[in-house]
Amino acid sequence: MKKRFSTMQRSGVLKRIFTCVIALALAMPMTVQTGWAATTSYTVTVADGYLALRNAKAYDDKNEIGKLYTGDTVDVTDSSGSTYWYVYASRLKKSGYVNRRYLANSSSERYVSVKSGYLALRNAKAFKSSNEVAELYTGDKVQIADASDSTYWLVYVPGLGKGGYVNKDYLVKNKDNTASAVVTKTVKVKSGYLALRNAKAYDDANEIGQLNTGDTVQVQDSSGSTYWYVYSSRLGKSGYVNKNYLQ
């Protein structure tokens, strides 16, 4: 005999099935998906002026939608571009494109290593006293934003909240090796002496010291094609020397 279910019985069966389905769903692990990819925070780093937030991947005054300054933080949501990354700027409450060469974070940390004196933080890629904006000492931490230049790198200094250029020869990866980055050269002349000068020129009037064969100097700036800026521990002075007499 075929047994018929009443409407009430069928309703009860459906309720039990529905309850079982809900229980199974709750017991299963759930994966929550959002519309945003994982983000990474970076610090804006400029030596001067501001970093433009843009609505397009192009250097154009017309596409600027905001101004970001050194110390501002942004969340990178798309880093696929070779030059421009898409970011969210919390201070401006806007999203847009920025030049990635002006962003730094802890993944690119280095430490200052100088044997004496300080490493100058500069607002331009040049060795001039007029462009110094801060003094960095051995052990100070910096974050690299742009390492494309052969001598001067753009860095952010968390301890000072400033950005600028430093001579890369005085940066090391490991803080324990901060004494190993100093470049030392030995003077070698066939006769006479090597003049220590206060300017990049061959002139008797700018001589401030005499270095002899065997004297050692610490190279502080090797960007010049002829004259390098060095420190002589024997003389207790810094100045320029002709690099062709160093080995």
Side-chain angles (χ1 to χ4, degrees), residues 4 11 24 31 43 58 78 80 97 99 103 107 113 135 144 149-150 166-167 174 198 208 228-230:
R4 292 185 177 181
S11 177
L24 286 172
T31 301
T43 303
D78 183 1
S80 61
Y97 296 97
N99 189 319
L103 300 179
S107 65
S113 178
E135 298 176 357
I144 300 170
D149 190 79
S150 60
V166 297
N167 189 318
N174 193 333
N198 59 18
I208 58 174
W228 284 1
Y229 195 74
V230 304

Side-chain angles (χ1 to χ4, degrees), residues 189-201:
V189 290
K190 288 184 177 180
S191 61
Y193 63 89
L194 175 62
L196 184 70
R197 306 176 183 278
N198 59 18
K200 297 179 181 180

Side-chain angles (χ1 to χ4, degrees), residues 111-114 116-122 127 132 134-138 140 142 152 155 160 165-171 220:
Y111 295 90
V112 174
S113 178
V114 290
S116 62
Y118 64 89
L119 175 63
L121 183 70
R122 306 177 183 279
F127 186 82
E132 293 187 13
E135 298 176 357
L136 304 177
Y137 296 89
T138 294
D140 284 347
V142 302
Y152 289 100
V155 303
L160 300 177
Y165 297 99
V166 297
N167 189 318
K168 70 177 182 63
D169 293 335
Y170 299 96
L171 300 179
Q220 297 180 327

Side-chain angles (χ1 to χ4, degrees), residues 7 28 33 39-40 67 73 109-110 114 118 123 125 146 155 164 172 175 177 184 191 200 206-207 210 212 215 223-224:
T7 301
M28 294 175 65
Q33 294 183 342
T39 60
T40 303
K67 296 179 179 180
T73 57
E109 286 181 350
R110 295 290 189 278
V114 290
Y118 64 89
N123 59 20
K125 298 178 184 179
D146 182 15
V155 303
V172 294
K175 191 173 183 179
N177 297 332
T184 301
S191 61
K200 297 179 181 180
N206 65 24
E207 290 189 15
Q210 297 179 356
N212 303 310
D215 284 346
S223 60

Side-chain angles (χ1 to χ4, degrees), residues 23 40 51 70 74-75 88 100 167 177 216 232 243:
T40 303
L51 174 63
T70 294
V74 297
D75 294 326
Y88 174 73
R100 68 176 183 83
N167 189 318
N177 297 332
T216 58
S232 167
K243 71 179 182 66

